């Protein structure tokens, strides 16, 4: 099976730079995934992407060096299994609030006896290889999003769930949950502290700590902070910004 | 009929800032067209966009302040009529090399007796209004791309074609045609001179002079040069650049 | 944020005329939404519409004066959040049977602390505006379908759920649930009485009462009865009928 | 090969009632084609329909009693062959102005030695049957649209083209071409006379005379006039009208 | 309502040969369904097929003699109802493990009072007919997949659920669940015994016993064993095999 | 630029085994292209594939070892340039009948000064690399289909066209053109002789000789005959055959 290079990067202590794909366009996905990213995550929660388009985007990313991952719409095992079958090499699952949530997430991503994933990998075998079944449980990355107050409260038991590969902080939702405006990089205060707390607890266990960031500068700061996997902005926001800049420069 | 605001901008001597859409994604089109552009052109020549997607992109742009235009795959009257029917308010036609080309282009965009456009506007009437037929010949913008040696040679007779609203320079193809590497903003030399020649000949007749530019800075330079309609970069190139920058900033 | 004009119509005591879109076609959606409707609801329960198509239809409706709404496939919070992110300004949720159902529906449509909606509005910010987050909780309309016996039994506690904006009667399912054939406008009898009971209880609380109707004549009758929001037929049924009429008139 | 029932209807002197499909939606196509039509024509000239959608619509129509036909974007042999390969049982080709046009149209629709159609029917063999090649030249219907002044002038030589099955009048374009406003059913005058002239010349040769009509009442009038194939309105226009009526009845 | 011919085949003791469609392509679906199958099941669990594509595939199958069925992504009532509305004449539901699961599955497929299916059949009425509501509860086939250890343990109570039409064995998942490698046709041993046990218990009650098989030879063996409904391989696997064979034969 | 491995195979005297893709499905394309083929050609002439789908199929093939090629609908320069922009590494153009046809085909595939290809490679640069412009004229493969009597008559002048890389025989159309039933592998006789004549004339010039074949056995025969590039059957035909076999084996 094609190895999941993200595990190697973690083992080597190198940062994983992850693209965030919310535009439903295989061409955009392919163009982005060629820009030096280690991974590219198709956002099927807040992205404007249906299942048919997500498959095409997974194919597009598969022609690049980036490892394809998916954020499903929620903790929906049948949906998660479909994305894995379609060739996703990782899952970033939103709104994991309890150890039971995390256990259900892991189970959805692992074949028996480690989980309850149904067999029928389809495109997964094309991307991964004929021996997909033998290695998928070891290669597929499972990350739980910590972005609710409950998730924060249950962090330790979540991290103790066997088979979970790490967490991914959603700073916006976490901020909202703690009673603040959503901000990717909050200044000092309870949200910033919560983020650091999540990271430290994750890394101390040797698990992958990931986080969404506003842009490359912020992502570099998060790497310096110790995060393993960073997302330097989402495609639509960066596209809007660069286009608005182009208009401004034209009209200056 | 909804007025084509690009004509008003030209009349007022204000620059027309045009977005270039080559990513086949209505969401990207809508996001871009909201960033302050006066127009947004769906590129069906070099863009990764089939007809079904182009229709959806025209609808997406129609929900923004930008005027929707299309670049067809070539001087193909039936195709051009389809884009107009689908609600495009302008056509930027590639590779116009002779007055006859230009005349066929104009004819495709005008109802009899001014042209040979077939009646059946479909979406055009939704976007334009119920009186579309009465005003379409006056509102739809027809721009001929000058980007071949022959087009350059025939510039005057092309510009004399009744009903043509202006030209749009394709600096890349023009450079190639003149034996140079494709560059959007060539330094001094024959290509730069040719571009200026085209602009001057167009503007002196009161027609719209348009040009593709690498980015906002270049577009501002072209406006200063006297161009009426400028395109500050294409969506895919700007997206790739901003994404590559994000990776670099992360890994710095 | 772009105001939800449906709230103003309710406040002014004017009927809200809502189009029902079950054909998976952005062009049909746009054509219909231009015919004088105040709102247009994309039916993702019984309509032939996947998520990719629904996004395109939301874009199409956004270019018209009608307010875009969606009926999700059921009380599925992750799905509902996706439609809101995609720019829906209202949700008509099927099969709400208990106050708990209604509370979960409301929570899915409201950001914390009023609910659990995850932040990441995407297209919603294009349609709604940059200050979407500040006003979405106030502008998005949340309507619960009353169409089960249990929903009828629990009507009062459902209507008491904080944040619910109103109800929408599904006369067909309600009739079936009560042991009758599905009819949009049942004659006197228990189903007609149940419908009037729902309306009265809703209106007395100042909430929006909505209902699906067979056609314009029936909708006018429902307005006269006191309903606030009426749907004069669904697109596919009206299209079939007008086409069958055309054949009959031809062959007469 | 599945027989083309439209030929039988002509032979029996029965009117052919044809649906006009301009909405790019297989579900709408299927719903309409079930309403009693003998044929259903997918409009790829003025309809909002790309090739991918057209294939799906041909499949949808194939599940109904109506014979699937296509109007291509113009006299484009390669495009016409693709629609035939995709299972279209007839072609209504726009803007046929000369005998040479008509001959090229016929050639595109017939295998050698009668024409130049390339072999590779694909879906055509699924819909038509395994012996498609043996009978396609006899079953596929080829209709030339008469809607230009030149086409009118060359009517006799057009009708004399071997293999042409008939004509289809486009009253709107014909009116425009003759210097009048486009009208489907012009009152007495040169356009009305031209239409009758075309019909008579066609029918006297035993060929099929077809025409687009505003609605069923107009279509019945055309049948009474002697037309063989009538189209009682287009889907989008009828849908808009029935929806506008529904709004009006609601607000009455 | 168009009768579900699969019921008649069962009544006559004839095997039901079912195609398995995992390629998201209406053309492939139509081509396959014309090859002599009694049924064709669109796999929305492990297949690469979103809802928009599934609708188009249902339309494509509807133009063939095969009865269209769907495997949903899981026991998701809202999703199942959508497929039925879209014209599926049967449901093969994965991972039914308890009588309660089976009861919820049946309820999703039956209108009140037999179930909780919501009324609004849409395409179902086009394929089934205008009297769909009167007969759908009797015609739609409901099959529960037995493929977990729990499902095996609860087999008898599952089979006793009123309204269940039969079962469908998923040998791969069943093998995995029992601690073996997934195999469609395991040799003697506990999985083979479990499969036979499921078949016998199903058939003794007069219900339909179905099973997935590797290919036609294996399917014939299953028919000989007593299975009522067999699937001789899935489309993608057979396509891959025949293509690999073609390459090998070329390079021999 | 990523090298076109097909040129190397020719140089090494190794046969090029080419897949034929007529099913409009990226998943099928990807699955097939993984089965050991050197190239995979997307058939946009007789295949059921629109431009939007063709792009997705090019992306899918790009994730496999096979070189992506396209057969356009005809000798349509604008269309051919679009496929090249979309990342096709070769063109197999139907119905080349004269040296002028061949010259126009070559010109469409080569940038100035060797041709008239317009610059704007889009996806081509993603698949090919940043230096695409420098090498595309050397890497892109241009093959002319010889399948008309005129093409046969003009074979020598066609082969003499500078820049043409070879030919591809369409035995079906060639047979029809010569007055025979279409057969991929005609027995002795004029069509078989014509095929051998084309091959010999092509190979003697050192150009690539290609041909469509019924299956792998026939392809091996063609390789033995001296053909450089062979297509062992088309996807839809092989899929139908393997499915029909599966049904027969089941019902035996
Ligand atoms: Mg979040
Ligand atoms: Mg150019
Ligand atoms: Mg209901
Ligand atoms: Mg016309
Ligand atoms: Mg299974
Ligand atoms: Mg051929």
């Amino acid at each position: 099976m094609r190895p999941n290079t993200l595990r190697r990067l973690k083992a080597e202590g190198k940062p994983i730079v992850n693209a965030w794909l919310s535009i439903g366009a295989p061409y955009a996905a392919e163009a982005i995934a060629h820009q030096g990213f280690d991974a590219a995550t198709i956002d099927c929660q807040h992205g404007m992407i249906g299942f048919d388009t997500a498959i095409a985007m997974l194919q597009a990313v598969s022609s690049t060096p980036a490892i394809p991952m998916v954020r499903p719409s929620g903790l929906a095992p049948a949906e998660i299994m479909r994305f894995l079958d379609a060739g996703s090499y990782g899952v970033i699952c939103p709104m994991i609030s309890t150890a039971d949530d995390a256990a259900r997430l892991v189970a959805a991503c692992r074949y028996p006896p480690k989980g309850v994933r149904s067999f029928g990998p389809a495109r997964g075998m094309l991307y991964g290889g004929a021996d997909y079944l033998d290695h998928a449980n070891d290669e597929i990355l499972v990350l739980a999003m910590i972005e609710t107050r409950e998730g924060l409260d249950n962090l330790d038991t979540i991290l103790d769930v066997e088979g979970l590969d790490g967490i991914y902080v959603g700073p916006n939702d976490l901020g909202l949950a703690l009673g603040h405006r959503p901000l990717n990089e909050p200044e000092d205060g309870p949200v910033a502290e919560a983020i650091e707390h999540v990271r430290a607890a994750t890394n101390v266990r040797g698990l992958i700590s990931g986080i969404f960031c506003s842009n490359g500068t912020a992502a570099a700061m998060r790497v310096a902070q110790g995060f393993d996997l960073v997302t330097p902005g989402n495609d639509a926001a960066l596209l809007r910004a660069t286009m608005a800049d182009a208009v401004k420069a034209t009209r200056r």
Side-chain angles (χ1 to χ4, degrees), chain A:
Chain A
M1 185 177 174
R2 181 197 297 246
N4 192 330
T5 52
L6 306 186
R7 292 193 180 282
R8 201 192 60 213
L9 290 169
K10 166 68 177 172
E12 296 173 351
K14 291 185 185 150
I16 299 167
V17 187
N18 174 52
W20 203 257
L21 306 176
S22 72
I23 300 172
Y27 175 44
E30 188 180 7
I32 292 168
H34 268 301
Q35 302 312 314
F37 290 99
D38 302 307
T41 300
I42 300 167
D43 182 5
C44 294
Q45 182 192 21
H46 293 302
M48 302 290 90
I49 303 169
F51 188 65
D52 285 318
T53 300
I55 300 172
M57 292 174 74
L58 282 165
Q59 292 180 304
V61 172
S62 297
S63 71
T64 78
I67 291 289
M69 301 205 291
V70 170
R71 176 162 71 173
S73 71
L75 176 48
E79 179 187 329
I80 289 171
M81 293 184 205
R82 298 198 81 192
F83 287 128
L84 295 178
D85 284 356
S88 182
Y89 252 42
V91 170
I92 298 181
C93 187
M95 300 274 169
I96 297 299
S97 293
T98 65
D100 184 62
D101 283 356
R104 288 209 299 141
L105 167 60
V106 170
C109 300
R110 305 289 182 229
Y111 292 117
K114 292 198 173 169
V116 301
R117 183 176 172 197
S118 175
F119 181 67
R123 239 210 108 239
M125 287 184 70
L126 299 182
Y127 179 71
D131 58 344
Y132 183 93
L133 174 64
D134 295 326
H135 303 289
N137 278 3
D138 298 325
E139 296 295 343
I140 303 297
L141 218 57
V142 185
L143 304 180
M145 290 194 73
I146 303 297
E147 51 183 346
T148 60
R149 187 184 290 272
E150 210 184 355
L152 211 55
D153 292 344
N154 295 321
L155 181 64
D156 284 324
T157 54
I158 289 172
L159 289 169
D160 287 344
V161 167
E162 175 85 26
L164 189 74
D165 292 305
I167 60 85
Y168 187 83
V169 177
N172 280 310
D173 275 323
L174 188 59
L176 268 178
L178 299 183
H180 299 264
R181 278 192 74 80
L183 273 180
N184 288 317
E185 289 84 26
E187 301 286 325
D188 293 347
V191 185
E193 283 164 24
I195 291 172
E196 170 56 16
H197 171 64
V198 172
R199 186 205 61 74
T202 304
N203 284 359
V204 83
R205 281 169 169 90
L207 300 177
I208 294 172
S209 59
I211 188 164
F212 185 84
C213 316
S214 296
N215 49 46
T217 309
M221 180 272 283
R222 290 299 190 196
V223 170
Q225 183 180 353
F227 274 96
D228 300 309
L229 183 157
V230 292
T231 304
N234 105 16
D235 56 351
L238 293 176
L239 179 61
R240 285 199 311 269
T242 197
M243 282 293 181
D245 284 351
V247 173
K248 255 174 248 143
T250 305
R251 297 200 197 278
R252 57 146 190 210

